[in-house]
């Protein structure tokens, strides 16, 4: 049996129930619970737990729009962030388990198109290494960037919407 503490908003309840039905196939569903948490006047969340383990957190705006999904995994914690009005995915990031800081690729998306706007590399919460930004809707690279280990932008190559190099700044030293 699923235990859900619900105070209002049957839409949220139905979403949570659907999530459990799809997700719970590989788990003993009677051990999975969802608890509603009031974050502030603009948002609330459902924490999905099994025993003492957090399986996921699904966050909604006060107007019942999906704005976040947090998914802990054995190797990292993943956070998906959605635009509060459109529901379009605007950010995907991974956090180190031991540090709680952003690690690896972080993907940013344009809203409302949902097109990829950037792929930035992070190490212990600091931009580091190569990153790329894209023009919206034409899927062309806008710039290649290199950040040093302190998060300082040291090198950038910028392109026009036709893919022609228009400017090079800095150096990789």
């Amino acid at each position: 049996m699923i235990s859900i503490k619900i105070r209002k908003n049957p839409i949220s309840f139905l979403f949570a129930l659907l999530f459990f039905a799809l997700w719970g196939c590989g788990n003993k569903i009677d051990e999975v619970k969802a608890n509603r948490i009031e974050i502030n006047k603009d948002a609330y969340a459902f924490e999905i737990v099994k025993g003492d383990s957090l399986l996921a957190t699904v966050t909604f705006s006060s107007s019942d729009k999906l704005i976040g999904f947090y998914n802990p995994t054995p190797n990292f914690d993943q956070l998906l962030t959605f635009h509060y009005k459109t529901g379009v995915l605007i950010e995907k990031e991974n956090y180190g388990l031991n540090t709680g800081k952003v690690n690896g690729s972080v993907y940013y998306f344009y809203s409302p198109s949902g097109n990829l706007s950037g792929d930035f590399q992070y190490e212990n919460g600091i931009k580091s290494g190569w990153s790329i930004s894209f023009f919206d809707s034409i899927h062309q690279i806008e710039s290649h960037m290199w950040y040093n280990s302190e998060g300082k932008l040291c090198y950038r190559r910028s392109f026009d919407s036709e893919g022609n190099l228009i400017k090079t700044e800095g150096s990789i030293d």
Side-chain angles (χ1 to χ4, degrees):
M1 174 161 196
I2 299 172
S3 171
I4 297 179
K5 296 178 185 175
I6 195 88
R7 294 184 195 130
K8 56 183 175 180
N9 274 323
I11 294 169
S12 302
F13 173 77
L14 293 174
F15 176 86
L17 192 58
L18 176 64
F19 176 80
F20 294 128
L22 296 173
W23 176 85
C25 296
N27 295 285
K28 292 182 179 178
I29 197 72
D30 60 338
E31 296 175 9
V32 177
K33 297 180 183 180
N35 299 310
R36 182 183 167 119
I37 299 167
E38 299 297 327
I39 298 170
N40 57 39
K41 67 180 178 77
D42 297 321
Y44 63 95
F46 287 103
E47 277 189 341
I48 302 152
V49 295
K50 181 178 179 183
D52 292 335
S53 299
L54 177 65
L55 302 175
T57 302
V58 184
T59 308
F60 297 91
S61 70
S62 59
S63 60
D64 298 324
K65 301 273 186 174
L66 178 66
I67 56 174
F69 182 82
Y70 170 75
N71 179 32
T73 71
N75 301 317
F76 57 86
D77 293 340
Q78 184 177 80
L79 178 64
L80 303 176
T81 305
F82 300 87
H83 189 277
Y84 73 100
K85 287 185 178 177
T86 64
V88 171
L89 179 66
I90 56 174
E91 186 174 308
K92 177 185 179 258
E93 55 192 358
N94 297 325
Y95 289 84
L97 292 178
N98 298 327
T99 64
K101 296 181 179 178
V102 179
N103 268 324
S105 290
V106 174
Y107 301 101
Y108 297 98
F109 302 88
Y110 286 104
S111 181
S113 71
N115 293 324
L116 183 65
S117 68
D119 175 357
F120 289 79
Q121 300 300 310
Y122 284 79
E123 189 171 322
N124 291 318
I126 298 171
K127 283 183 187 174
S128 181
W130 287 102
S131 296
I132 301 172
S133 66
F134 299 93
F135 287 104
D136 192 10
S137 58
I138 59 171
H139 309 289
Q140 289 281 355
I141 293 173
E142 184 176 12
S143 60
H144 282 136
M145 297 153 286
W146 186 78
Y147 293 85
N148 68 14
S149 61
E150 296 168 354
K152 179 182 175 191
L153 177 60
C154 295
Y155 180 75
R156 180 193 321 238
R157 290 177 22 179
S158 300
F159 302 87
D160 65 17
S161 60
E162 301 293 318
N164 300 308
L165 179 65
I166 55 174
K167 188 192 306 186
T168 300
E169 304 169 273
S171 65
I172 308 170
D173 291 331

